[in-house]
Amino acid sequence: MPRPKPDKIVRHQIVFGEADRKILQSYNDSYLISNLSKNLVTLFNDVTGTITVLTILAATGVLGAKFVFNVSPVALATGAVDSVISDFMEQYREAVQNRTTTREERGSSVVGGFQNLVEQALAPIFAITGDIDMPEIRRPGQ
């Protein structure tokens, strides 16, 4: 038997206060960071994922120097992420030392400006670790 159409509509609404919204926002932020970090750790735990990310960084030149990242057969055979990263850092060091463009020349394009921003952001990390002595970047205290 067909049901008759309702003659009135009742609407239920849940309204959160400011404190509740802040709690939900902080939960949402922590959940997002948790998912992102879990996926990044999963990606970098695998040698293939690490090689893929490092190859993309090298080919795009986002780090300030564009180069072709060649993974050594030893790094592939051992499957150790440490040897892959050390190969990348060595090739990156050579690419930075061999580059011919200066910061001013790169600043005239959008990609070059982005490279300058990334280089400035990574400069303190490289200066602290002492891994790469990047040209045109001073170590803290100089």
Side-chain angles (χ1 to χ4, degrees):
M1 184 167 194
R3 295 175 53 182
K5 289 187 176 182
D7 53 350
K8 65 179 184 175
I9 298 174
V10 178
R11 181 176 166 198
H12 298 281
Q13 184 175 0
I14 299 173
V15 179
F16 293 111
E18 189 65 30
D20 299 328
R21 283 192 211 118
K22 286 182 182 179
I23 291 170
L24 288 173
Q25 183 63 39
S26 64
Y27 173 76
N28 189 24
D29 293 345
S30 65
Y31 185 73
L32 176 73
I33 291 172
S34 171
N35 281 343
L36 278 175
S37 62
K38 183 176 74 171
N39 291 335
L40 283 176
V41 167
T42 304
L43 177 68
F44 281 113
N45 275 342
D46 183 29
V47 174
T48 309
T50 305
I51 291 171
T52 303
V53 170
L54 294 178
T55 303
I56 290 170
L57 286 175
T60 58
V62 170
L63 297 176
K66 194 173 189 178
F67 61 101
V68 176
F69 177 49
N70 294 320
V71 183
S72 68
V74 174
L76 285 174
T78 60
V81 175
D82 295 341
S83 58
V84 170
I85 292 175
S86 65
D87 281 353
F88 177 80
M89 295 302 282
E90 181 180 322
Q91 292 176 31
Y92 178 62
R93 187 178 300 113
E94 291 173 8
V96 167
Q97 290 172 352
N98 294 335
R99 74 176 177 198
T100 57
T101 60
T102 63
R103 196 175 277 169
E104 291 77 24
E105 291 171 352
R106 286 188 313 212
S108 61
S109 69
V110 174
V111 174
F114 184 68
Q115 288 174 349
N116 288 342
L117 287 175
V118 171
E119 187 176 287
Q120 283 298 103
L122 294 178
I125 297 170
F126 290 139
I128 291 169
T129 60
D131 255 351
I132 298 175
D133 190 19
M134 297 180 72
E136 306 164 5
I137 294 179
R138 295 188 179 105
R139 293 178 185 263
Q142 288 182 342

